[in-house]
């Protein structure tokens, strides 16, 4: 077992984690960052980013994350391509163990594990995941060149995915369970003005149907949420874009969380229910969930960790 004693352990490598690392490193805290399952976080599965300040032209999500990583490394962050599998916050130093067998003994911990895509959780969805069903148009859209695909959801993600898919698909059908989208107006305008996109209102997916050998999605059965009438769409691709769940299972019972499992932090702070443990980004934010707000709270977490260490040790 490789044992590392350190000031700050940062768990997660999205905008929150990297920004915390940049600030902690520049405060000479020599932070260690464990990247997690999806290095770079959610921005690595997006394409165009137009709302991260500082860039006059459109930038790409994966590129932005590479730059953040480079910046964090250049100022002295120690990076671990690893996964934290257990934490003990009952005493300080806090003990975090990783998949590869490293044990961190840390004066403070910054949790920036983000959130992950939500699924519909109907039985047939599991069967065709990766065989026509995806939660990432950026990753899988290319496979549906000149085909008809559906997108499920009515938020920013669903509308962005639908717009992105028009680059490949011949037709994109957005299926939404209500008669109103919750996506931003500017995205809605783009959606309604795109003649490759059709919206089916007030419908939910009942079942995915296809061949089993090899697994191939061929149809989706929908149900009208108002009159319960069923209908079928022929499609080879279904993109589920119905929101996200925070990646907090590791911290269950160890930190206070709300009823949707987001980590609770003090007002205007990233301080969790355990002194010295901070949370930043989507793991504690279900309202804004933007790269720039995640980066902002990552900065706050590092400054708070620095203050905590200076006052406590
Ligand atoms: P969201 O805003 O929570 O929207 C989820 C959508 O999925 C809603 O329309 C919801 O329907 C629908 N839904 C949820 N569960 C469902 C189910 N079981 N079956 C069918 N439909 C279901 O999630 P999001 O679009 O992923 O966005 C999350 C956050 O990230 C938001 O704050 C958003 O603004 C932000 N975001 C921003 C950008 C950007 O700025 N470019 C891009 C992506 C995301 P109802 O409307 O009926 O509840």
């Amino acid at each position: 077992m490789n044992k590392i004693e350190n000031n700050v352990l940062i768990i997660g490598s999205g905008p929150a984690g990297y920004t915390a690392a940049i600030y902690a490193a520049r405060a000479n805290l020599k932070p260690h960052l464990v990247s997690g399952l999806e290095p770079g976080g959610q921005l690595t599965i997006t394409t165009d980013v137009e709302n991260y300040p500082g860039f006059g032209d459109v930038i790409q999500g994966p590129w932005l994350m590479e730059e953040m990583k480079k910046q964090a490394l250049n100022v002295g962050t120690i990076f671990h391509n690893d996964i934290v599998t257990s934490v003990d916050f009952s005493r300080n130093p806090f003990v975090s163990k990783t998949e590869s067998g490293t044990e961190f003994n840390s004066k403070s911990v910054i949790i920036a594990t983000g959130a992950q895509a939500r699924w519909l959780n109907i039985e047939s969805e599991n069967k065709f995941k990766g065989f026509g069903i995806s939660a990432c148009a950026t990753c899988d859209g290319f496979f549906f060149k000149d085909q008809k695909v559906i997108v499920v959801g009515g938020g920013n993600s669903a509308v962005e995915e639908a717009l992105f898919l028009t680059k490949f698909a011949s037709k994109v059908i957005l299926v939404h369970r209500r008669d109103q989208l919750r996506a931003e107006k500017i995205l809605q305008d783009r959606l309604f003005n795109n003649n490759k996109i059709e919206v089916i209102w007030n419908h939910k997916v009942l079942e995915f149907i296809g061949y089993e050998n090899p697994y191939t999605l061929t149809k989706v059965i929908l149900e009208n949420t108002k009159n319960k009438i069923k209908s079928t769409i022929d499609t080879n691709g279904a993109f589920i874009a119905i929101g996200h769940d925070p990646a907090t299972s590791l911290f269950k019972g160890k930190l206070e969380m709300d009823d949707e499992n987001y980590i609770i932090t003090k007002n205007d702070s990233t301080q969790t229910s355990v002194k010295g443990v901070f949370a930043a980004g989507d793991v504690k934010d279900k309202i804004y969930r933007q790269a720039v707000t995640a980066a902002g709270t990552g900065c706050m977490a590092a400054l708070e960790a620095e203050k905590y260490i200076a006052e406590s040790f």
Side-chain angles (χ1 to χ4, degrees):
M1 160 116 20
N2 177 23
K3 195 164 163 177
I4 297 173
E5 288 177 11
N6 69 334
N7 290 309
V8 189
L9 176 69
I10 297 161
I11 309 176
S13 57
Y18 283 142
T19 308
I22 291 163
Y23 274 79
R26 294 191 78 256
N28 214 15
L29 292 172
K30 300 183 176 58
H32 287 252
L33 182 148
V34 178
S35 66
L37 262 179
E38 211 178 74
Q42 291 179 73
L43 272 183
T44 57
I45 53 167
T46 46
T47 48
D48 294 356
V49 177
E50 293 179 323
N51 54 9
Y52 197 85
F55 302 94
D57 296 319
V58 177
I59 53 167
Q60 299 298 302
W63 175 84
L64 180 62
M65 296 323 298
E66 271 308 307
E67 291 298 307
M68 282 195 202
K69 179 179 178 183
K70 237 193 269 173
Q71 191 177 355
L73 295 182
N74 284 346
V75 290
T77 304
I78 301 126
F79 185 88
H80 302 264
N81 199 352
D82 205 348
I83 296 164
V84 174
T85 50
S86 74
V87 292
D88 182 354
F89 294 152
S90 63
R91 64 203 152 92
N92 198 306
F94 303 121
V95 177
S96 311
K97 294 182 180 164
T98 73
E99 195 174 70
S100 76
T102 301
E103 180 183 300
F104 290 95
N105 285 207
S106 317
K107 289 179 183 164
S108 68
V109 173
I110 295 174
I111 298 166
T113 46
Q116 59 219 175
R118 203 177 279 158
W119 296 96
L120 293 171
N121 286 327
I122 50 183
E123 210 184 310
S124 50
E125 181 182 51
N126 265 337
K127 231 166 33 183
F128 296 105
K129 259 188 212 168
F131 301 98
I133 299 180
S134 165
C136 176
T138 315
C139 319
D140 302 323
F142 185 77
F143 302 119
F144 298 92
K145 210 162 184 302
D146 300 323
Q147 297 182 41
K148 182 165 83 178
V149 298
I150 72 159
V151 175
V152 182
N156 276 348
S157 300
V159 173
E160 280 191 343
E161 300 242 318
L163 288 165
F164 177 74
L165 285 164
T166 60
K167 294 183 187 181
F168 310 102
S170 54
K171 181 161 189 182
V172 178
I173 299 173
L174 186 82
V175 177
H176 184 37
R177 63 184 177 183
R178 290 188 300 130
D179 61 0
Q180 216 180 341
L181 300 172
R182 66 172 69 231
E184 286 167 18
K185 182 80 175 57
I186 184 170
L187 289 173
Q188 294 197 29
D189 288 346
R190 284 182 204 162
L191 181 94
F192 296 136
N193 287 327
N194 192 313
N195 57 18
K196 270 194 176 179
I197 301 177
E198 179 193 333
V199 183
I200 298 186
W201 303 105
N202 298 315
H203 276 75
K204 65 177 191 182
V205 175
L206 268 195
E207 203 180 338
F208 296 99
I209 292 186
Y211 307 121
E212 300 209 350
N213 196 11
Y215 279 111
T216 313
L217 179 70
T218 55
K219 288 182 203 313
V220 177
I221 299 180
L222 303 181
E223 183 185 78
N224 187 309
T225 51
K226 296 220 148 97
N227 59 21
K228 307 289 173 208
I229 290 176
K230 295 184 180 64
S231 52
T232 303
I233 301 179
D234 291 330
T235 182
N236 295 121
F239 289 83
I240 315 302
I242 58 168
H244 293 82
D245 291 314
T248 51
S249 53
L250 194 59
F251 313 109
K252 237 181 179 156
K254 294 171 180 166
L255 296 173
E256 267 178 34
M257 294 182 200
D258 69 10
D259 51 5
E260 290 177 77
N261 297 321
Y262 285 85
I263 295 175
I264 295 173
T265 53
K266 293 210 166 77
N267 275 347
D268 298 326
S269 166
T270 60
Q271 175 65 65
T272 68
S273 54
V274 174
K275 227 175 159 215
V277 178
F278 305 90
D282 287 13
V283 77
K284 63 145 248 157
D285 168 25
K286 60 180 168 194
I287 299 171
Y288 302 106
R289 295 190 275 206
Q290 301 301 301
V292 68
T293 49
T297 52
C299 161
M300 284 168 64
L303 296 178
E304 291 187 276
E306 183 189 0
K307 188 162 179 279
Y308 167 77
I309 290 168
E311 288 173 356
S312 313
F313 297 92

